[in-house]
Each structure stands twice: as structure tokens, then as C-alpha cells.
């Protein structure tokens, strides 16, 4: 029972992180065509100003979020198996 609750809690936390990060990516997409805007990558501190670089960054991060979502889904499935 405790393992199930821990897995569910972790998966819920991951989904919150995914949602928060997705909102940040949406904000970047809103400004992607604004050549005057820049995006600072949180993990490296590198600043992106070219439209193509911003789009590539968003695509990379969306792929990462997809992986995290699939991992969270798997955790929830395992938690359900423990429940049964």
C-alpha cells in the first residue's frame, strides 16, 4: 500500500512539473517570432535570439516532456497493479 501511494505521489509531482514547464514553453512560443525577444535556457544559461534556435529549443524540450509524461503514466500503471 505504501509503495502504491509513493508511486502515485511521485507521478502526480511529475505531472505538475510537466504542466508548469509546458506553460513556460507556451510563453516562449508566443514570443518566438519576435526577433527582439530572447530566451535564456535554464540548464545552460545560453541566450537564444534567433527564431529557428527558439523553435529547436521548444521541440527538444517537448520531446523531453513527452518522455517524462510516459514515465509518469508507467508509474501510475505500476501503482494500479500494486493496488489490485
Amino acid at each position: 500500500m505504501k509503495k502504491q501511494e509513493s508511486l502515485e505521489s511521485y507521478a502526480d509531482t511529475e505531472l505538475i512539473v510537466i504542466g508548469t514547464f509546458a506553460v513556460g514553453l507556451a510563453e516562449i512560443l508566443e514570443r518566438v517570432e519576435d526577433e527582439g525577444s530572447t530566451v535564456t535556457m535554464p540548464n545552460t544559461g545560453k541566450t537564444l535570439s534567433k527564431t529557428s534556435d527558439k523553435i529547436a529549443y521548444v521541440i527538444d524540450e517537448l520531446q523531453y516532456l513527452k518522455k517524462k509524461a510516459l514515465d509518469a503514466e508507467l508509474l501510475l500503471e505500476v501503482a494500479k497493479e500494486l493496488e489490485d
Side-chain angles (χ1 to χ4, degrees), residues 37-41 44-50 53:
S37 73
T38 59
V39 172
T40 302
M41 298 171 60
T44 64
K46 182 179 176 184
T47 300
L48 306 175
S49 58
K50 289 175 42 182
D53 291 343

Side-chain angles (χ1 to χ4, degrees), residues 15-28 42 57-58 61-62 64-65:
L15 293 173
I16 290 168
V17 168
I18 290 167
T20 302
F21 203 72
V23 168
L25 291 176
E27 290 172 356
I28 291 170
Y57 171 73
V58 170
E61 294 304 314
L62 286 173
Y64 172 73
L65 288 181

Side-chain angles (χ1 to χ4, degrees), residues 58-72:
V58 170
I59 289 170
D60 287 346
E61 294 304 314
L62 286 173
Q63 290 172 341
Y64 172 73
L65 288 181
K66 179 181 176 183
K67 181 190 177 312
K68 287 187 76 64
L70 292 172
D71 290 347

